[in-house]
Amino acid sequence: MVITFKDVSFRYTDKNLLDKVSFSITDQDKTGLVGLNGTGKSTLIKLIEDEIRPQSGEIIKSGNMIISYLEQEPDIPLNTKILDYVMKNNDKDHKVNDYEAKSMLTKLKLDPEALTNNLSGGQRKRLALAKCLVTYCDFLILDEPTNHLDMETASWLEGYLRQYPGAVVMVSHDRFFMDRTADIVYELEQGKLTRYPGNYTNY
């Protein structure tokens, strides 16, 4: 077990986003999270991250679980070398080396020696993805990870995630990506979470 929700509820103004939701994610699950905009997917992610707390119910996590989170709109600092940004705040006991970081950046078509000042929106998203993937963690949360990726790079990411040994939660409108990576799909609708084993096509 990595994380378990037990009867978790969360209400925003007059909308019940989560209504006594219960589910578990185990240590190798590749989970796709789907639902219409505004149904509460971001709220669910914030609860996993401890950014907000449930209004009722319980969230149980394994030990000192480390989460690496790719935001949909990442905030990248200026005047920073791309390689330094990826290496910053890496866990001292599991520090990634320059070669691994440079290799990841190259796969995502970024220059490790360039500065962050003049990056396009797509390059900023790929840089945040690189940092997310090289950061030591038990649990990856990826919000629209294939945005701004070409087919070759998206295919590489699919292979990377299939081999990734930890748990992954993905929010994506890219059905082909979800088909090739997810082995469980959860649909969030009207405050309820429904589990569908298998990939997006099965869902």
Side-chain angles (χ1 to χ4, degrees):
M1 188 272 289
V2 172
I3 188 166
T4 295
F5 277 45
K6 289 186 175 180
D7 293 325
V8 169
S9 294
F10 194 93
R11 190 176 185 85
Y12 182 73
T13 62
D14 62 344
K15 190 169 185 179
N16 210 13
L17 296 175
L18 301 175
D19 182 16
K20 294 185 178 180
V21 164
S22 297
F23 72 102
S24 292
I25 296 173
T26 60
D27 58 2
Q28 293 185 339
D29 286 347
K30 306 297 183 284
T31 303
L33 178 60
V34 300
L36 297 176
N37 290 340
T39 53
K41 299 189 298 297
S42 295
T43 297
L44 187 61
I45 288 172
K46 288 176 181 178
L47 287 164
I48 292 173
E49 278 204 289
D50 284 334
E51 187 176 330
I52 57 176
R53 299 297 303 158
Q55 292 162 346
S56 64
E58 186 180 12
I59 299 174
I60 304 166
K61 297 180 180 179
S62 297
N64 298 315
M65 188 175 72
I66 301 171
I67 296 173
S68 187
Y69 173 39
L70 173 69
E71 298 176 81
Q72 188 169 346
E73 300 290 342
D75 182 22
I76 307 291
L78 298 177
N79 301 313
T80 305
K81 191 167 78 169
I82 282 177
L83 181 61
D84 291 344
Y85 171 75
V86 170
M87 298 286 286
K88 187 178 180 182
N89 298 331
N90 231 282
D91 186 291
K92 60 182 175 58
D93 295 323
H94 305 93
K95 192 167 180 64
V96 68
N97 59 48
D98 279 13
Y99 174 79
E100 291 172 294
K102 286 179 179 178
S103 176
M104 181 69 69
L105 288 166
T106 299
K107 287 182 174 71
L108 291 168
K109 302 182 179 179
L110 294 166
D111 178 2
E113 302 303 316
L115 293 177
T116 56
N117 296 33
N118 299 314
L119 296 179
S120 67
Q123 289 171 323
R124 293 163 70 85
K125 184 65 180 266
R126 296 202 308 273
L127 176 55
L129 177 60
K131 181 173 178 59
C132 183
L133 295 181
V134 301
T135 299
Y136 174 82
C137 66
D138 309 294
F139 195 129
L140 281 174
I141 301 176
L142 305 177
D143 195 348
E144 299 293 350
T146 59
N147 279 9
H148 307 291
L149 297 187
D150 58 29
M151 290 182 64
E152 178 187 4
T153 311
S155 179
W156 168 81
L157 179 60
E158 290 163 6
Y160 180 92
L161 294 177
R162 284 196 296 268
Q163 299 298 317
Y164 179 72
V168 183
V169 169
M170 301 161 279
V171 178
S172 178
H173 289 91
D174 185 340
R175 296 178 180 185
F176 296 104
F177 170 76
M178 294 279 266
D179 244 0
R180 296 181 180 116
T181 52
D183 50 33
I184 300 167
V185 173
Y186 281 99
E187 181 184 43
L188 186 57
E189 184 179 24
Q190 297 182 342
K192 300 298 184 182
L193 198 67
T194 305
R195 184 183 190 273
Y196 297 87
N199 64 9
Y200 190 89
T201 294
N202 289 348
Y203 153 73

